[in-house]
Amino acid sequence: MTDRRAAQQRMSWLLDGCTISGVSAFLYHKPEWINPWGLTPLQWVVGFVLIRGAIALYDHLVVFLVECSKAKRLPTRTTGKPVRYVDLDRTSCVFLSINSLNEWFFVQRLCHFLWYADSGIVPKALEDVGLANTLGALYVMFVVLDVCYAPCHHILHMPSMYPLIHKHHHRQHFPTRGYLDAGNEHPIEHMIGTMCTWAAVLAAAYTTGAHAGTIFLFFNVHAALAMLNHSPYDVAFGALGIQYSVGSHEMHHRKFTVNYAQYCMWYDHLARTYANYEGPDDSTKKL
């Protein structure tokens, strides 16, 4: 092992150790963070199992609906040199397990927030549905999510940070497994993602009075698009600055330093890190 590699490994252990210690201390003093509903241990475990089953089912449902729409596969998956797929290793299984717990914490807290939030902040009644707290709120959430996420994602690609956290997610240059590839990331990165999602929800709630149903819809659409971003399907759409493309995220996995945003590519255009999709033929022409 080289000196540089050994130093990176020591830094990784230090970072992970500090993170585990900090999270453990926080949860010791605030156990309600992982159980806001005050569930019994049995109820908590049953809820976790049900959520895992629902996510697995949802992943398959998204793929089923996309295939029913006759969506084509990305050119890299149908032409040119066959792409290389990377199996899940032991670290991947550990990260996916830890992240599944964080997702369960997040779902509990999101539902608790929607249920108990003041009706002036998060209205719940059907008669409260309006244009601003539905379509307007959705727009705010997707924009704010990427305004927060894209620069954080860029920071994770800094040479000093990349090998410690984000490098693991880039083991798969051509994502194909949907949720398993989307969620296969360092727990610190996963926590950053959920915090950005929280920021988007709170921004919409306090600016548009986002309806509870809108927030629930956003969460499910965001999950579906994250899964699709790590699939082989050529899905793309856009309007009013929203520019979603599975191909754009594949380019990020292939090139590493482009397309840090997911839905709203303003940051990449500003930082000059945006890259159009390149198929096998385009890559060949550049050689």
Side-chain angles (χ1 to χ4, degrees):
M1 182 182 295
T2 63
D3 291 342
R4 181 180 178 183
R5 175 63 177 168
Q8 287 180 350
Q9 191 172 69
R10 287 194 297 270
M11 284 296 298
S12 179
W13 288 342
L14 178 62
L15 177 65
D16 292 347
C18 290
T19 302
I20 292 171
S21 298
V23 171
S24 299
F26 176 81
L27 294 180
Y28 177 79
H29 292 288
K30 289 185 175 294
E32 68 276 7
W33 191 264
I34 62 175
N35 188 14
W37 293 94
L39 303 176
T40 66
L42 178 60
Q43 291 171 333
W44 197 94
V45 172
V46 170
F48 171 74
V49 172
L50 290 176
I51 286 295
R52 298 322 305 163
I55 290 175
L57 179 63
Y58 192 53
D59 193 19
H60 286 85
L61 176 62
V62 170
V63 171
F64 173 75
L65 293 176
V66 170
E67 290 185 341
C68 286
S69 71
K70 306 299 182 182
K72 296 181 180 179
R73 290 175 177 257
L74 290 163
T76 50
R77 317 306 175 93
T78 58
T79 59
K81 182 180 178 181
V83 298
R84 182 176 70 91
Y85 299 111
V86 180
D87 292 331
L88 297 176
D89 60 2
R90 182 173 59 183
T91 301
S92 298
C93 294
V94 171
F95 284 176
L96 284 165
S97 298
I98 295 173
N99 294 341
S100 68
L101 288 172
N102 187 37
E103 288 164 0
W104 174 222
F105 305 159
F106 177 83
V107 168
Q108 288 186 84
R109 296 198 62 80
L110 178 65
C111 293
H112 191 269
F113 172 73
L114 297 181
W115 187 262
Y116 286 105
D118 185 90
S119 59
I121 299 175
V122 181
K124 306 170 187 64
L126 185 60
E127 57 266 25
D128 292 329
V129 172
L131 188 62
N133 64 11
T134 52
L135 294 179
L138 277 175
Y139 185 81
V140 168
M141 284 187 278
F142 278 110
V143 170
V144 171
L145 175 60
D146 258 351
V147 167
C148 296
Y149 175 78
C152 290
H153 190 184
H154 198 169
I155 290 171
L156 291 178
H157 274 268
M158 293 174 60
S160 58
M161 294 286 291
Y162 181 74
L164 303 178
I165 299 175
H166 194 51
K167 183 178 180 179
H168 179 83
H169 184 66
H170 275 273
R171 293 176 68 249
Q172 185 65 279
H173 292 184
F174 296 90
T176 187
R177 287 179 291 243
Y179 170 80
L180 289 178
D181 282 339
N184 187 13
E185 58 190 2
H186 193 289
I188 292 178
E189 179 180 355
H190 194 269
M191 181 63 72
I192 291 172
T194 55
M195 290 172 64
C196 291
T197 304
W198 261 118
V201 169
L202 293 176
Y206 284 98
T207 59
T208 68
H211 195 276
T214 306
I215 296 175
F216 181 76
L217 176 63
F218 162 74
F219 178 68
N220 283 277
V221 172
H222 170 43
L225 296 180
M227 293 172 183
L228 278 178
N229 254 348
H230 297 83
S231 76
Y233 301 102
D234 191 3
V235 178
F237 59 84
L240 301 176
I242 301 296
Q243 185 182 350
Y244 176 81
S245 168
V246 176
S248 291
H249 197 67
E250 185 194 90
M251 285 295 292
H252 174 72
H253 274 262
R254 288 163 53 192
K255 304 293 186 179
F256 295 1
T257 56
V258 301
N259 300 350
Y260 294 109
Q262 302 178 90
Y263 312 115
C264 184
M265 310 302 288
W266 299 345
Y267 176 84
D268 288 293
H269 288 294
L270 182 65
R272 297 184 179 181
T273 54
Y274 178 76
N276 289 313
Y277 182 77
E278 295 178 5
D281 293 339
D282 300 318
S283 300
T284 302
K285 290 176 183 178
K286 291 188 176 185
L287 296 177

